[in-house]
């Protein structure tokens, strides 16, 4: 985050990963939604993004085009634009974005802003990591896979705006470290403890 003065802040993040699903379009859309989420989790709004691509030469250009189309359509639906990017050859495909956004310094969200008595809200159900692992092992049903893909492609824009309107001070996006890992980061940064009620946690099928 860079304080631009006058109450404005510049937020820049980068996120990319290897495919979590088989469909190239869905992979691109999921990776883009994930990268955009980092900006919303800081209380800012994305305005532009740069494609980050690593792609094996033996895969077709049509496959890469679908990955990029998925990412571009998600970025467009977020109200931002793809302003370029960079690509390299690699043994394993990877895709993501560098995202630039703007926010108000007085409304930015941090991992260290939690206070005793705060309520933690989850904007999506948990379980995408479990389902994508099951997909790789061929043991996830079509219904389970579809629910996970839909959740991963759904943008956090409305949730982020609702959080700001409600006066939230702390946020993060739950990704690779899972709920427990990201909650631990927030708890340690805030100097508080988090208490979870298992029956209140939302899960994917």
């Amino acid at each position: 985050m860079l304080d631009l003065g006058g109450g404005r802040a510049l937020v820049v993040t980068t996120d990319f990963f290897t495919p979590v699903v088989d469909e190239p379009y869905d992979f691109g859309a999921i990776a883009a939604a994930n990268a955009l989420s980092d900006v919303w989790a800081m209380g800012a709004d994305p305005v532009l993004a740069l494609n980050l691509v690593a792609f094996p030469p033996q895969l077709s250009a049509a496959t890469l085009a679908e990955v990029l189309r998925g990412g571009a359509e998600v970025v467009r639906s977020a109200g931002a634009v793809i302003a370029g990017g960079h690509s390299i050859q690699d043994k394993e495909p990877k895709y993501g974005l560098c995202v630039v956004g703007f926010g108000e310094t007085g409304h930015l969200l941090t991992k260290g802003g939690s206070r005793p008595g705060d309520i933690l809200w989850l904007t999506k159900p948990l379980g995408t990591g479990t389902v994508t692992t099951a997909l790789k092992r061929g043991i996830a049903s079509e219904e389970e896979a579809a629910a996970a893909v839909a959740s991963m492609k759904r943008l956090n824009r409305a949730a982020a705006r609702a959080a700001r309107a409600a006066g939230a001070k702390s946020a993060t996006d739950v990704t690779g470290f899972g709920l427990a890992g990201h909650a631990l980061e927030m708890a340690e940064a805030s100097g508080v403890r988090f208490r979870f009620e298992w029956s209140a946690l939302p899960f994917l099928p």
Side-chain angles (χ1 to χ4, degrees):
M1 188 279 288
L2 177 65
D3 191 335
L4 299 174
R8 296 278 285 167
L10 178 71
V11 172
V12 183
T13 71
T14 302
D15 206 328
F16 60 93
F17 47 70
T18 57
V20 293
V21 294
D22 292 333
E23 287 296 324
Y25 177 90
D26 286 341
F27 169 46
I30 289 166
N34 181 70
L36 292 162
S37 186
D38 289 340
V39 172
W40 283 313
M42 293 180 66
D45 287 307
V47 293
L48 67 83
L50 302 174
N51 282 322
L52 302 174
V53 179
F55 211 69
Q58 65 270 24
L59 292 181
S60 71
T63 298
L64 176 57
E66 279 299 284
V67 173
L68 296 177
R69 186 172 72 87
E73 290 187 359
V74 165
V75 169
R76 190 180 307 114
S77 70
V81 296
I82 298 281
H86 186 67
S87 62
I88 61 169
Q89 289 187 354
D90 200 355
K91 293 180 180 179
E92 191 170 16
K94 302 171 185 71
Y95 175 67
L97 302 172
C98 173
V99 185
V100 178
F102 290 107
E104 299 177 19
T105 53
H107 294 88
L108 293 181
L109 305 173
T110 69
K111 292 180 182 177
S114 302
R115 296 293 177 264
D118 284 352
I119 296 173
L120 179 68
W121 287 87
L122 294 174
T123 64
K124 293 185 179 183
L126 302 168
T128 54
T130 301
V131 176
T132 54
T133 299
L135 268 174
K136 291 176 183 177
R137 296 180 181 176
I139 56 175
S141 71
E142 288 186 9
E143 293 77 14
E144 290 163 346
V149 168
S151 180
M152 289 186 286
K153 287 166 63 175
R154 195 172 75 246
L155 297 179
N156 274 320
R157 176 172 54 183
R161 290 177 176 174
R164 290 201 299 267
K169 300 297 183 186
S170 188
T172 192
D173 61 334
V174 179
T175 52
F177 297 116
L179 176 63
H182 287 284
L184 178 61
E185 285 184 337
M186 293 180 71
E188 289 182 337
S190 303
V192 299
R193 292 178 183 231
F194 279 27
R195 180 180 294 115
F196 296 102
E197 293 184 19
W198 181 262
S199 61
L201 296 177
F203 291 99
L204 287 166

